[in-house]
Amino acid sequence: MAKKPLALSQVYRLLEPGPVVMLTTAAKGRVNVMAMSWHMMMEFEPPLVGCIVSGRHYTFDLLRASRECVLNIPTADLAKQVVGCGNTSGRRIDKFRKFGLTPSASSRVAAPCIDECHASLECRVADTRMVARYNMFVLEVLAAWIDRSVRQPRTLHHAGRGVFLVAGGETIRLPSRMK
Amino acid sequence: MAKKPLALSQVYRLLEPGPVVMLTTAAKGRVNVMAMSWHMMMEFEPPLVGCIVSGRHYTFDLLRASRECVLNIPTADLAKQVVGCGNTSGRRIDKFRKFGLTPSASSRVAAPCIDECHASLECRVADTRMVARYNMFVLEVLAAWIDRSVRQPRTLHHAGRGVFLVAGGETIRLPSRMK
C-alpha cells in the first residue's frame, strides 16, 4: 500500500462508522495483532480513541507493557485474516507469518503498521484509569496514514459470530452541520 | 414497528458494527433525541455501552438529570430525520414533532422508544466518573427490543459531514470462535 499522511483532524471519519480494526502491538521482543470492534472516538483533535481489550488477550499484556499500538483498518479482502487473528492467540503463534500479513515500520511507535491495510493510526496509550474496571484504554492518535487510491473502502463491520456487514456499496450524502 | 424482546446477551450484535443511534432522553417535562456515533460496547452481559455526549448538547443536561435514555437504531429510510436531529437543538424545538418521529412508551425508563426504529435499547446511566474529563457516560442496557421482520437492517454508519455508509448489502460469513 502507498500510504500518505492523513490530517489528524480527519481521523474520526475513519473510525466513526465502526469498522473492525486490526490492533498491532510490539513489546518483549514480540509483535502481535488482534481483531477489535469495541472502540469509539472520544475527541476530534488530538484524536482520542477509547477501546476495550480483554485481559485474556495477549495484546493486553503487550499494550500495557509498551503503551503503544497501531490501529489498522482492513477491507473485505482481508476478512479471512481478520477472523484468523480473532480465532488464534499471539501467545502461541506469530500471526503476521501465519496469516501472510506484512509489518511495515511506523513513524512514531514501535508497533508495526500492516501494509495490507489501507489506513493505519499510530497511537500512544493516553489514559489507563479505566483499565482496572473496564479493560478500557484511551489512545491518542499520533500519526495517521491512508492510501487514497482506495476510493470506497469496503470496511468490515462485525455483527457477531463471524458475520460482517461490508461497507462501500450504498452511500447517502445529506447536507449536515455535524462534523 | 412490532418490536419483540431481544435477549440482553445479543445486544452487542446490534451496536458492534457501529451504527448511528438516535438517543432519546426525558427530563424536566421534556423529551429529546440526538444522533450519535461515538459509542462502543464495553461488556457483553449485562450489556454495558460507553458513549460520548458533548456538554454543548441539550441531551447532556437531560441525560445527567434523568440518568436514563434509550438507544434507538435507525435504518436508511430515516437518514433525513437523523441528519435533521443532528442539525438542530432540542433546546429550541420539539424534534419528535418536527421530524415526524413517534415516541412509544418504554418498559423500564421514562425516555421513549422511537417507533420508526427497528431496535431500541432502554438504558440507565451506570457510571459517570468519566463525564468530567471525557463527556463519557457508561450505560447499562436494561431492556432490548427488536422488530425481527426487518431482515437485513440497512443501518447508517456515519463517515463525517453527512456522509453515511449503508449496511445491508454485501455480507461475509466466516467460521469464527469470536462472539
Side-chain angles (χ1 to χ4, degrees), chain A residues 10 12-19 35 37-44 48 50-52 56 76-77 79-80 82-83 85-88 126-127 129-130 133-134 136-138 153-179, chain B residues 10 12-19 35 37-44 48 50-52 56 76-77 79-80 82-83 85-88 126-127 129-130 133-134 136-138 153-179:
Chain A
Q10 299 304 303
Y12 79 98
R13 304 186 68 170
L14 298 180
L15 292 184
E16 193 167 305
S37 287
W38 290 17
H39 60 76
M40 68 173 170
M41 290 301 303
M42 296 180 68
E43 188 54 87
F44 286 107
L48 297 182
C51 67
I52 309 288
R56 294 187 304 273
D77 47 307
K80 280 185 185 168
V82 167
V83 173
C85 287
N87 283 344
T88 54
D127 192 339
R129 278 172 293 183
M130 279 80 86
R133 190 171 187 93
Y134 296 115
M136 175 179 162
F137 294 83
V138 179
R154 297 169 64 233
T155 50
L156 297 162
H157 301 257
H158 191 230
R161 303 183 184 284
V163 177
F164 296 92
L165 316 176
V166 182
E170 187 182 357
T171 303
I172 294 177
R173 288 165 197 272
L174 288 168
S176 173
R177 289 188 210 119
M178 295 184 285
K179 266 195 182 171
Chain B
Q10 299 304 302
Y12 79 98
R13 304 186 70 171
L14 297 180
L15 293 185
E16 194 168 306
S37 286
W38 290 16
H39 60 77
M40 69 173 170
M41 289 301 304
M42 297 180 67
E43 186 54 86
F44 286 108
L48 296 182
C51 67
I52 308 289
R56 294 188 303 275
D77 47 307
K80 281 185 185 169
V82 167
V83 173
C85 287
N87 284 344
T88 54
D127 193 338
R129 277 172 294 184
M130 280 79 86
R133 191 172 187 92
Y134 296 114
M136 176 179 162
F137 295 83
V138 179
R154 297 169 65 231
T155 49
L156 297 162
H157 301 258
H158 191 229
R161 302 185 185 283
V163 177
F164 297 91
L165 316 175
V166 181
E170 187 181 358
T171 303
I172 295 177
R173 288 164 197 273
L174 289 167
S176 173
R177 289 188 209 118
M178 297 184 283
K179 266 195 183 171

Side-chain angles (χ1 to χ4, degrees), chain B residues 49-61:
Chain B
V49 181
C51 67
I52 308 289
V53 177
S54 164
R56 294 188 303 275
H57 293 320
Y58 187 47
T59 292
F60 182 90
D61 300 339

Side-chain angles (χ1 to χ4, degrees), chain A residues 83-105:
Chain A
V83 173
C85 287
N87 283 344
T88 54
S89 172
R91 279 198 189 85
R92 284 181 292 275
I93 62 164
D94 176 340
K95 296 196 204 180
F96 279 89
R97 183 178 303 182
K98 169 88 174 172
F99 300 112
L101 299 169
T102 311
S104 65

Side-chain angles (χ1 to χ4, degrees), chain B residues 10-165:
Chain B
Q10 299 304 302
V11 163
Y12 79 98
R13 304 186 70 171
L14 297 180
L15 293 185
E16 194 168 306
V20 170
V21 300
M22 300 175 89
L23 190 165
T24 55
T25 41
K28 308 173 182 182
R30 295 287 309 279
V31 295
N32 195 29
V33 50
M34 71 172 278
M36 179 180 72
S37 286
W38 290 16
H39 60 77
M40 69 173 170
M41 289 301 304
M42 297 180 67
E43 186 54 86
F44 286 108
E45 195 173 8
L48 296 182
V49 181
C51 67
I52 308 289
V53 177
S54 164
R56 294 188 303 275
H57 293 320
Y58 187 47
T59 292
F60 182 90
D61 300 339
L62 299 184
L63 187 56
R64 218 162 45 163
S66 66
R67 297 181 68 97
E68 293 177 347
C69 66
V70 179
L71 304 177
N72 302 275
I73 304 180
T75 41
D77 47 307
L78 294 173
K80 281 185 185 169
Q81 287 90 329
V82 167
V83 173
C85 287
N87 284 344
T88 54
S89 171
R91 278 197 191 86
R92 284 181 292 276
I93 61 163
D94 176 341
K95 297 197 204 177
F96 278 90
R97 183 177 302 183
K98 169 90 173 171
F99 300 112
L101 299 169
T102 311
S104 65
S106 296
S107 66
R108 301 282 302 272
V109 301
C113 293
I114 296 176
D115 194 55
E116 287 79 7
C117 291
H118 76 290
S120 295
L121 309 173
E122 303 180 26
C123 301
R124 74 175 183 93
V125 173
D127 193 338
T128 58
R129 277 172 294 184
M130 280 79 86
V131 171
R133 191 172 187 92
Y134 296 114
N135 289 334
M136 176 179 162
F137 295 83
V138 179
L139 309 176
E140 179 189 343
V141 181
L142 302 173
W145 303 90
I146 193 164
D147 183 344
R148 292 188 189 280
S149 73
V150 181
R151 301 293 293 183
Q152 289 225 329
R154 297 169 65 231
T155 49
L156 297 162
H157 301 258
H158 191 229
R161 302 185 185 283
V163 177
F164 297 91
L165 316 175

